[in-house]
Amino acid sequence: MEELGVYAVFGLDEPPREILRSAEPGHTTIAIPAFVQQVVLFTKGVWGKHSSVTVELSDAKPNPIISGKLTPNNKSLCWEYWEDGIWSTGATLSVKFDSELKTTDDLLTDFTKKEFTPECAVVAPIMREAPGKRKRSAPEPDQDAADQENTCPNGQAADKTTPHRRGRNAPRGSQTRLFPQKDEQPATVQASVRTPPSNPRPRGRQAKTPTQSAPLDHPSGRWGQSLCPIDSQTAILIGGQGAKMQFCKDPMWKLCTEDLSWVPAETLAEGPTPEARIGHTATYDPESKRIFVFGGSKSKKWFNDMHILDTQSWRWTMVEAQGKVPPLAYHSCSLFRGELFVFGGVFPLPHPQPDGCSDSIYIFSPDMAIWYQPIVNGDKPAPRSGHSACVIQGKIFIFGGWDTPVCFNDMYMLDLGLMEFSAVKTSGTPPSPRSWHGCALLSDSRFLVHGGYNGNNALSDTFIFNTETSSWTTVTHPQLTSVPRAGHSIIAMTTTDSQGSIDEDQPQHLDESPKALLIFGGGDNEGSFFSDLMTLSVEELEG
């Protein structure tokens, strides 16, 4: 068997060079040649059972070290050129073999000693940009904006003109904002903004007695929550914001899909629960049977924390991961081969006022408890948030979203094998520009888009996209068109057969499994927040 080696490629014209072998454990540092625009590091050979490689890249100037890990599941790392188009003289690359790779349990033990919630002083990491990339200048401080909560569009004053997509290089003018500032809102909305209590609720596990006059048999009306299926009979609801801009005091529920019953679930799990928030993501990993809750925002707080709920032990843990990821809300999070791919989102710069959206990919490795950024090539989407993302056959399909004041209805695909973006040329009538829409995977070649917000109004139309034909199909159904909604949740669940049973031990192909759509919550942009749960069979919808 071939011995494991670490190789580096400097620039497009240079062949790979071997820099370290496993037979020579230790540490090596090499200089990066000047005038190089890209560095690629990869491994070749047989990995040991507990092998990993630590990589650090540093500049001669007093810049922070960029670090990463090579593992059997992540065998390559790339870095783009810096602002001036070349690596500065004196840049170095350090590589060493680790003697042992810690297990997931060891890492969680190390990093979950205490609950940690980023405060407003946390800022996005300073990162160098490629030449020609648009930079965002910090706006002048606005005290009114600083006092405003992060709000749902419900009840906001709406301009009657739907914004259209601007060109990638077009300037950001003084156009209609998707999130109007406080002085642009009606007096009724201004009065609904919550004043922080003088004795704020301590972080960590919340009180067991509900403090909100909501029905005890189902969640209160809300938008911006996450609804995450964990098996064919169960889904978990986390977070959300409801009437009068209040964050829900019943933030966690368990849904039984057999009889569509709700059970309050916040007190079912031990450990520090995530602080109330909206615009976060909750992603379930069926292999480890854990839910990963990342990011989101609450009033003046923006989060970049990672909470994990083990659905077998029903215990929350908080991972203080290595690497850096900025505070983000309304991003997407996709699971692929055990890692979480976070794209886009809006971030605060400066706090707490949002200042633009992200177009970056951040990857979280649960096994390593580390964040890192891959090098992504191709035609990248414009920065955005409030978009949707579906993983289909090793590709992430990204649709829609917004970057104030623009709504998008374009489609991009990220090939996770090549780490390359490409714009998808579609046929049929596409959905109109929108954000905060619902999206659900129907099969291994189709996903559904429903509702959303176009900058003026909530929407109620529905579309299905076929990745094999790159075509859109418009779907009409009375249940879906009855109520416009945005910020809602849509999930597709496996249903029972005619005998009322499912063989959980048999692998089920997506196209062979009967599906039901479940739609919960959202708002109508007229001041109403929903707590209803709609169910609809995929067969009926397509028929």
Side-chain angles (χ1 to χ4, degrees):
M1 294 185 292
E2 185 178 359
E3 182 184 347
L4 180 64
V6 182
Y7 299 80
V9 178
F10 300 108
L12 301 178
D13 300 326
E14 295 291 330
R17 65 175 71 173
E18 184 180 87
I19 58 177
L20 192 63
R21 298 195 69 84
S22 58
E24 303 170 356
H27 177 275
T28 185
T29 300
I30 62 173
I32 297 177
F35 307 105
V36 167
Q37 294 184 321
Q38 191 177 64
V39 175
V40 180
L41 201 70
F42 66 94
T43 63
K44 182 181 179 183
V46 179
W47 283 82
K49 183 177 180 180
H50 300 291
S51 295
S52 65
V53 180
T54 299
V55 182
E56 295 181 347
L57 187 148
S58 59
D59 196 0
K61 301 175 183 179
N63 293 316
I65 292 178
I66 304 173
S67 61
K69 286 277 189 180
L70 293 170
T71 70
N73 295 321
N74 178 43
K75 299 181 180 180
S76 64
L77 291 171
C78 303
W79 291 273
E80 292 281 5
Y81 50 74
W82 294 44
E83 282 182 343
D84 53 6
I86 58 174
W87 300 99
S88 62
T89 303
T92 59
L93 188 65
S94 300
V95 180
K96 69 174 181 178
F97 280 100
D98 298 327
S99 57
E100 182 177 355
L101 178 62
K102 288 188 176 182
T103 65
T104 303
D105 292 339
D106 293 335
L107 289 168
L108 290 178
T109 301
D110 292 342
F111 297 132
T112 58
K113 300 298 184 183
K114 62 182 180 66
E115 180 185 12
F116 171 76
T117 303
E119 301 294 340
C120 295
V122 178
V123 297
I126 300 174
M127 304 187 69
R128 300 192 179 205
E129 298 175 325
K133 186 173 181 179
R134 175 175 49 137
K135 296 183 179 180
R136 306 183 186 276
S137 57
E140 294 296 326
D142 184 345
Q143 185 60 41
D144 288 341
D147 292 337
Q148 181 187 0
E149 288 200 43
N150 183 34
T151 60
C152 169
N154 291 283
Q156 292 178 349
D159 189 280
K160 296 302 180 182
T161 303
T162 301
H164 298 283
R165 176 173 180 174
R166 70 176 187 277
R168 184 167 296 188
N169 297 322
R172 302 167 68 93
S174 56
Q175 305 177 41
T176 304
R177 293 177 179 269
L178 193 60
F179 276 130
Q181 300 301 313
K182 185 175 180 180
D183 56 2
E184 297 173 336
Q185 298 181 355
T188 55
V189 176
Q190 295 183 31
S192 69
V193 176
R194 182 178 61 176
T195 302
S198 56
N199 296 316
R201 180 179 58 84
R203 285 182 274 166
R205 196 169 180 182
Q206 301 178 2
K208 294 186 178 182
T209 303
T211 57
Q212 179 169 303
S213 57
L216 298 179
D217 59 346
H218 69 273
S220 58
R222 68 192 66 197
W223 88 293
Q225 72 284 337
S226 61
L227 184 61
C228 181
I230 62 175
D231 56 43
S232 59
Q233 291 87 31
T234 312
I236 303 298
L237 174 68
I238 299 174
Q241 185 186 56
K244 297 182 179 180
M245 312 303 174
Q246 298 289 322
F247 285 84
C248 299
K249 295 182 174 61
D250 56 335
M252 187 173 174
W253 289 78
K254 183 178 180 180
L255 171 65
C256 177
T257 61
E258 290 181 315
D259 58 2
L260 300 181
S261 62
W262 292 97
V263 177
E266 187 175 3
T267 59
L268 296 181
E270 299 294 331
T273 60
E275 190 171 350
R277 64 191 66 196
I278 58 174
H280 55 286
T281 52
T283 310
Y284 179 68
D285 179 9
E287 294 296 326
S288 64
K289 301 189 183 303
R290 295 182 296 174
I291 297 176
F292 297 86
V293 178
F294 170 71
S297 63
K298 177 187 179 182
S299 305
K300 300 177 182 180
K301 291 184 180 181
W302 294 71
F303 303 102
N304 64 350
D305 49 359
M306 178 65 76
H307 293 262
I308 300 177
L309 175 61
D310 189 316
T311 61
Q312 293 183 301
S313 64
W314 284 103
R315 182 171 184 83
W316 284 103
T317 54
M318 170 66 199
V319 178
E320 191 173 343
Q322 302 178 54
K324 292 185 178 180
V325 61
L328 291 170
Y330 314 109
H331 52 280
S332 62
C333 184
S334 306
L335 178 71
F336 181 70
R337 293 181 178 175
E339 293 188 313
L340 302 175
F341 290 72
V342 171
F343 171 76
V346 63
F347 46 78
L349 184 66
H351 291 271
Q353 182 179 349
D355 180 28
C357 296
S358 169
D359 62 355
S360 298
I361 290 279
Y362 296 89
I363 300 178
F364 178 73
S365 171
D367 291 339
M368 300 297 300
I370 188 171
W371 286 98
Y372 67 94
Q373 273 193 278
I375 292 301
V376 181
N377 299 310
D379 183 14
K380 294 180 64 176
R384 65 191 63 204
S385 64
H387 55 283
S388 59
C390 281
V391 178
I392 296 180
Q393 296 182 355
K395 302 176 177 65
I396 300 179
F397 288 84
I398 296 171
F399 169 75
W402 65 268
D403 186 8
T404 305
V406 181
C407 270
F408 301 103
N409 69 337
D410 50 4
M411 177 85 72
Y412 280 83
M413 179 189 72
L414 174 62
D415 189 313
L416 296 173
L418 303 175
M419 291 308 295
E420 183 176 26
F421 267 116
S422 61
V424 179
K425 296 181 180 179
T426 66
S427 60
T429 302
S432 59
R434 66 192 62 205
S435 63
W436 300 321
H437 48 277
C439 181
L441 188 63
L442 303 181
S443 72
D444 58 359
S445 63
R446 294 171 299 132
F447 64 85
L448 174 141
V449 169
H450 168 68
Y453 181 67
N454 65 7
N456 297 321
N457 306 299
L459 306 171
S460 62
D461 48 0
T462 306
F463 302 83
I464 291 179
F465 185 75
N466 189 314
T467 60
E468 293 181 347
T469 61
S470 295
S471 61
W472 285 104
T473 302
T474 304
V475 177
T476 302
H477 193 280
Q479 280 186 269
L480 295 177
T481 58
S482 60
V483 178
R485 63 182 74 208
H488 51 295
S489 300
I490 300 182
I491 58 175
M493 301 287 286
T494 303
T495 57
T496 58
D497 58 20
S498 58
Q499 284 73 39
S501 63
I502 291 179
D503 187 354
E504 299 287 358
D505 295 329
Q506 294 297 324
Q508 296 188 9
H509 191 275
L510 284 171
D511 279 331
E512 297 173 352
S513 300
K515 293 281 186 177
L517 283 179
L518 279 67
I519 304 174
F520 170 78
D524 65 355
N525 196 41
E526 300 294 335
S528 297
F529 295 85
F530 306 122
S531 61
D532 59 332
L533 179 67
M534 291 196 303
T535 61
L536 181 67
S537 74
V538 174
E539 182 180 2
E540 178 185 356
L541 177 66
E542 296 181 328

